[in-house]
Amino acid sequence: MHTRRAGQVLPAVAVTASLLGVGCGGGGGPQVAAPAPVSNTATSNVSFKMFAGSAPKCSMSLRWEWTPVSLLPGPGRNAPFSVPSSGFTALEVPSTGDLCFFTNFNLERLAPGTWRIALQTPEGPLAACIVTLKAGPNYNGFRQGVSTCTRSTGVGFVYP
């Protein structure tokens, strides 16, 4: 069996790695930086508020849809996107007093600019609005019986 000492192998690995443009962690060859996070994209947080009456929980099937209207140049998703991509998600949430909040929806890494956000149910469209998403977090609240949404200027949801 042929063996090599580590002292002979490591320099050969470092030379090969440097020729391939791969860093070996302090071996003197070129270092490849990790990709920078995309900090100048938008995150769209959406919520739907409905009346529960005296029910202990609320159930519904829904789909959120984001459609670009006019986007800024740069990084981020720039094509229509739905959650779920087809069909509807059946959800059940506990009531808070006489209200239920469906709030576990967000879509990250969107290109900043103007988007149409729509809430669909199996029975048809529930609400939609045109919003300007800025880089960073954005919050849009939808409410039962209202066909549009309200954009929050801070953190958290405001409902129409």
Side-chain angles (χ1 to χ4, degrees), residues 51-98:
F51 298 103
S54 60
K57 58 188 169 187
C58 299
S59 300
M60 74 179 303
S61 293
L62 54 83
R63 178 178 62 238
W64 291 100
E65 299 173 342
W66 287 263
T67 306
V69 175
S70 175
L71 304 179
L72 300 173
R77 295 178 202 242
N78 59 7
F81 197 85
S82 297
V83 177
S85 59
S86 65
F88 298 89
T89 300
L91 298 168
E92 188 172 89
V93 297
S95 63
T96 304
D98 64 348

Side-chain angles (χ1 to χ4, degrees), residues 82-120:
S82 297
V83 177
S85 59
S86 65
F88 298 89
T89 300
L91 298 168
E92 188 172 89
V93 297
S95 63
T96 304
D98 64 348
L99 298 172
C100 287
F101 297 90
F102 294 86
T103 58
N104 295 326
F105 301 97
N106 67 54
L107 184 57
E108 298 178 326
R109 296 183 181 259
L110 290 167
T114 305
W115 288 81
R116 179 182 185 272
I117 303 173
L119 178 57
Q120 303 284 340

